Amino acid sequence: MTTAPMPEFPAGFRWGASTSAYQIEGATTADGRGPSIWDTFAHTPGRIADGSTGDEACDHYHRYAEDVALLAGLEVSAYRFSIAWPRIQPTGAGPANPAGLDFYERLVDDLLGHGVDPVATLFHWDLPQALEDAGGWLDRDTAHRFAEYADLVAARLGDRVKLWITLNEPFIHMSLGHGMGMHAPGRMLLFDAFPVAHHQLLGHGLAVAALRARGSGPVAIANNYSPVRLAGDSDADRAAGAAYDALHNRLFTDPLLGRGYPELPGLDTAAVRDGDLDVIAAPLDVLGVNYYNPTGVRAAEEGSPLPFEMVPLAGYPRTAFDWPVVPDGLRDLLLQLHDRYGDALPPIQVTESGCAYDDEPDTDGRVHDPERIAYLDGHIRAVRAAMAEGVEVTGYFVWSLLDNWEWAEGFTKRFGLVHVDYATQRRTPKSSYAWFRDRVIRR
Ligand code: FCB
């Protein structure tokens, strides 16, 4: 890590921290909340590394005021959280549950009272179980249900949320949730999961229209991106790299930015109907970029069900998730988006960037996380470098404010600027929290 001061960012650049509902809220049966696919999945033996569930998580539902105070102390200008659809519509349809809306209204008003912009994600993977039982995102109707839900939320909060994010990482929800069965709802459809991509995108487009009709503020989507690093230089390796890139980086972004679906071996677009692509390409105010690491790719073995093979990237430091630490990958990615989409690319906000380490308090009770500081330092400089090369980036959010329930990894991966002792729910800001405030936000 360099000791040079952090370069200047433009005035008004949005510094933030991110979380999601199921990972922090707990209180999964409080005030009329219905079950989501993650409740079902987490309660299925063998699905979660440590056998835990999100039943309590960080108990944020009851402790949100303490967490807003942590955000205020961090001096971020924005907080990205997600709204749990099953709190608003316990079965994914019908009128809003007022108690669910009340919770997010209290949160939003508390944020505004502390000068923190609320940035709300409408879908961070916690689909109401009743919708899953009716076919979930494999069913076109779920897209329409999503737009109705967006309308209910916008009717209450549209005047106060400063940036709406329709979907979080539809690629990960499709691939891990429906392609490989590692996330809820646990389906293993490989390429037959494509309708899940299309229906999420259609739901996004319909939700954008619903938000606009309510006169709500700016709208974004948060995609996961992973630039390809080829692990060979044969024509077959290059073709495999292009196929992986089309699947991970273009399948969602090409249609969002008006290009239609990319060519991809094995992709059956039978779910696409006339007019859908126009709905999906509704103008966006911001493109949310979630970045963790690049992906090493080479040609697949003969007979593989996939047109590529993923290989570990050697020669980099690794996080506790065993993800390689490659700050340049973020710069490369931002430049690639800029080159690929040109004028069609809206301003970017990095809506997730962060790392897991096995952070625990020292004997003095403090939590020192120099690896996280180095990680964030490198990635923030990478953003600044891409900006110097002409990419318009207007925000950067750390994943995550708090250590939290990391999906299939349960409580075993700590991503927070703030340590959480899950037995006592005690919050302890790590050294990266003060570093982010003092060296990045305040300067
Ligand atoms: C992203 C998710 C987020 C968190 C981080 C580590 O894919 O959007 O909820 O799990 O990874």
Side-chain angles (χ1 to χ4, degrees):
M1 181 177 132
T2 161
T3 50
M6 189 58 79
E8 290 285 339
F9 279 75
F13 190 88
R14 181 177 257 164
W15 295 109
S18 297
T19 63
S20 88
Y22 191 71
Q23 294 180 273
I24 65 167
E25 285 179 358
T28 51
T29 56
D31 299 332
R33 180 189 179 278
S36 79
I37 57 173
W38 271 98
D39 297 278
T40 308
F41 191 78
H43 280 271
T44 306
R47 293 298 206 176
I48 309 300
D50 58 0
S52 64
T53 71
D55 289 2
E56 185 177 341
C58 303
D59 196 31
H60 168 82
Y61 191 77
H62 299 115
R63 295 168 198 261
Y64 75 89
E66 185 182 350
D67 295 336
V68 172
L70 285 165
L71 288 159
L74 186 55
E75 299 180 18
V76 284
S77 54
Y79 173 50
R80 176 180 172 226
F81 60 97
S82 83
I83 294 176
W85 187 348
R87 288 200 194 282
I88 309 302
Q89 290 178 299
T91 61
N97 166 29
L101 286 171
D102 290 348
F103 170 68
Y104 295 105
E105 183 164 65
R106 289 195 295 276
L107 174 64
V108 162
D109 287 345
D110 201 14
L111 289 166
L112 291 170
H114 284 87
V116 179
D117 286 352
V119 173
T121 305
L122 286 166
F123 180 69
H124 202 125
W125 305 346
D126 45 0
L127 191 77
Q129 182 62 43
L131 290 184
E132 181 63 28
D133 296 342
W137 287 111
L138 285 165
D139 191 305
R140 187 179 172 93
D141 192 51
T142 298
H144 293 281
R145 299 282 78 72
F146 181 62
E148 281 177 21
Y149 152 65
D151 176 66
L152 294 173
V153 178
R156 179 75 85 91
L157 300 175
D159 57 336
R160 282 161 285 171
V161 167
K162 302 296 184 200
L163 177 66
W164 291 96
I165 297 176
T166 54
L167 306 175
N168 178 70
E169 298 188 351
F171 170 71
I172 302 294
H173 191 53
M174 174 193 75
S175 58
L176 296 192
H178 300 77
M180 330 237 286
M182 289 150 65
H183 278 186
R187 297 187 195 250
M188 291 180 69
L189 301 170
L190 295 180
F191 273 91
D192 292 342
F194 175 71
V196 173
H198 184 62
H199 297 145
Q200 285 185 96
L201 282 171
L202 182 64
H204 157 84
L206 296 168
V208 172
L211 292 164
R212 301 275 190 226
R214 288 271 176 199
S216 307
V219 182
I221 185 168
N223 282 320
N224 182 288
Y225 295 98
S226 182
V228 169
R229 298 275 166 112
L230 286 183
D233 59 4
S234 69
D235 287 349
D237 291 322
R238 270 188 288 279
Y244 188 83
D245 189 38
L247 178 65
H248 195 139
N249 298 313
R250 294 177 50 208
L251 181 61
F252 293 86
T253 309
D254 279 14
L256 285 165
L257 300 184
R259 302 244 173 123
Y261 286 108
E263 288 286 320
L264 188 55
L267 196 71
D268 173 4
T269 52
V272 184
R273 295 194 192 162
D274 281 355
D276 287 0
L277 289 171
D278 292 333
V279 174
I280 291 169
L284 286 171
D285 301 298
V286 168
L287 180 68
V289 166
N290 294 0
Y291 168 77
Y292 289 92
N293 53 257
T295 301
V297 179
R298 69 175 172 218
E301 302 279 318
E302 197 77 30
S304 159
L306 296 175
F308 47 76
E309 184 182 323
M310 288 175 269
V311 286
L313 287 175
Y316 296 100
R318 307 188 86 81
T319 70
F321 225 129
D322 205 26
W323 294 349
V325 178
V326 191
D328 280 354
L330 179 52
R331 176 180 158 275
D332 297 350
L333 163 65
L334 295 170
L335 289 168
Q336 189 176 64
L337 288 167
H338 180 69
D339 292 346
R340 188 168 272 174
Y341 299 109
D343 291 344
L345 184 71
I348 287 172
Q349 295 191 15
V350 177
T351 34
E352 285 183 28
S353 172
C355 49
Y357 289 104
D358 296 330
D359 312 309
E360 287 302 339
D362 283 354
T363 43
D364 62 359
R366 302 217 180 129
V367 185
H368 297 285
D369 56 344
E371 301 99 331
R372 179 166 295 97
I373 292 174
Y375 186 101
L376 296 176
D377 183 89
H379 286 75
I380 293 168
R381 286 176 199 275
V383 170
R384 191 68 191 82
M387 292 167 71
E389 291 181 68
V391 190
E392 188 180 0
V393 185
T394 57
Y396 177 95
F397 292 72
V398 175
W399 183 272
S400 178
L401 173 67
L402 303 171
D403 289 344
N404 59 47
W405 193 80
E406 176 52 34
W407 309 115
E409 303 295 319
F411 291 115
T412 66
K413 299 290 179 286
R414 295 182 174 275
F415 275 91
L417 295 169
V418 175
H419 179 274
V420 177
D421 177 335
Y422 299 112
T424 61
Q425 294 295 354
R426 186 186 153 90
R427 275 87 162 128
T428 306
K430 304 179 189 175
S431 47
S432 56
Y433 173 99
W435 174 87
F436 188 48
R437 180 190 58 209
D438 298 345
R439 300 296 177 80
V440 181
I441 299 174
R442 273 191 187 163
R443 71 174 307 278

